[in-house]
Amino acid sequence: MAFLFSNLYKTMKSFNPPVRTLMGPGPSDVHPRILSAMARPTIGHLDPAFVGMMNETKEGLKAIFKTENELTMPVSAPGSAGMETCFTNLVEPGDKVVVCINGVFGMRMKENITRLGGEAVVVEDDWGAAVSLDKVEQTLKDNPDAKILAFVHAETSTGARSDAKALCKIAHDNDCITIVDAVTSLGGCELRVDEWEIDAIYSGTQKCLSAMPGISPVSFNERALTKVKNRKTPVTSWFLDLNLVMGYWGDGAKRTYHHTAPVNTLYGLHESLVMILEEGLENSWVRHQKNHELLRDGLEAMGINFLVNEAERLPQLNSVFIPEGADDAKVRSTLLNDYNLEIGAGLGAYAGKVWRIGLMGHSSRKENITLCLAALKEILDK
């Protein structure tokens, strides 16, 4: 053992990662302004100056979620923890939850429900298709005792976008609250929490916010909070229990210690919100759409086709069929090693059949699209 530690002391050096262009399903490129913000001096997580920044961060999140929900905050962990925050606070043992599965992340929702002792009623759609409104409506009519409808707005595994506004209306018409996954949609395409009456929603910083992985913005409206407050059983997770967390992230200057927040990472989120508001949220939506169209035209000119039909397609996550005869792993490896460009592999039934090309946040730039198209053409021509 002493020999191993001695060797480690001699060989372990500072880590300097290669500079990559990240055009996979996430993380996306982190803007230099955000990296710079994260390098600022660390202060205490109860410091009055930090508390002031926390208040601004909450207001910035409300602006990009388009909500007035007071319980809007960043969870000190990645998007998966945002998902667990919603489910662990809202699902109790025995609760019947209708969950929509049209890709990997709907499957993760179901896993949360069953682990919490809930009863999952699955509405299944093809991977690459949006959630079927008719199927959801019929399932809720067949299960009048259902309490929650859970669905993914922007399915990262395929690039399909579902109609969140219509799904929320169906849920409320059937006396259900909604849990919505917006990990890939927040900042990249239209999302209106209050107007669409979304009850509980979670996202992540590493996609269209141009920020680092590790923080999960969430928002709960009063309808969702009523269910949290009227629970018959305690929330199973101490760390994610909103009744405790809100002592730290609640209103006012006085904060109760709950956990040591990732101070410098939250600097990065704050800076990303400043940047989105400088650009204009709707302008960010337009930028992602225009860059998608530029990428689409270039790929289709090369004979590369999309998995998702245009009406249901996300602009920020593009799943395209691998051309016949192309070696999936070899092409992606060549892109990474020769061009320092990352794109994503397919998942599940589409593993080895599609590539997932991300245009999210700071990665959604014309120079990245030019690089991606030129590199793919060179590799495929060979």
Side-chain angles (χ1 to χ4, degrees), residues 34 97 112 119 325:
I34 295 168
V97 182
N112 272 260
E119 179 186 348

Side-chain angles (χ1 to χ4, degrees), residues 119-291:
E119 179 186 348
V121 178
V122 174
V123 176
E124 194 155 9
D125 284 290
D126 292 339
W127 285 36
V131 171
S132 165
L133 303 181
D134 292 339
K135 285 184 184 178
V136 169
E137 188 160 26
Q138 187 59 54
T139 302
L140 289 175
K141 289 188 186 309
D142 293 343
N143 294 273
D145 53 341
K147 297 185 176 182
I148 298 171
L149 172 68
F151 64 90
V152 178
H153 180 216
E155 180 51 75
T156 317
S157 61
T158 64
R161 170 168 44 184
S162 294
D163 189 339
K165 181 179 181 180
L167 286 166
C168 288
K169 184 178 188 310
I170 293 168
H172 298 149
D173 288 346
N174 289 274
D175 297 319
C176 283
I177 64 171
T178 54
I179 298 176
V180 179
D181 178 324
V183 170
T184 297
S185 54
L186 182 64
C189 61
E190 185 178 14
L191 176 65
R192 302 176 185 273
V193 169
D194 284 0
E195 185 179 323
W196 297 352
E197 298 187 5
I198 294 170
D199 298 306
I201 190 167
Y202 59 92
S203 188
T205 48
Q206 76 277 18
K207 307 276 188 174
C208 297
L209 303 192
S210 302
M212 59 294 126
I215 299 290
S216 177
V218 300
S219 187
F220 288 68
N221 68 12
E222 286 302 317
R223 185 162 34 209
L225 286 177
T226 297
K227 189 171 191 328
V228 176
K229 292 170 184 174
N230 292 326
R231 288 180 63 96
K232 299 179 179 65
T233 58
V235 174
T236 55
S237 168
W238 179 89
F239 181 68
L240 301 176
D241 185 344
L242 291 175
N243 299 298
L244 302 176
V245 177
M246 284 308 293
Y248 180 57
W249 275 104
D251 292 331
K254 185 172 177 58
R255 302 294 169 94
T256 304
Y257 169 69
H258 177 260
H259 65 280
T260 302
V263 172
N264 291 62
T265 310
L266 287 169
Y267 295 168
L269 171 58
H270 181 275
E271 189 68 20
S272 83
L273 296 171
V274 169
M275 292 177 61
I276 290 175
L277 296 175
E278 285 175 354
E279 179 181 10
L281 179 60
E282 288 83 357
N283 292 335
S284 178
W285 297 345
V286 170
R287 170 170 57 86
H288 283 84
Q289 180 61 35
K290 286 185 174 178
N291 285 337

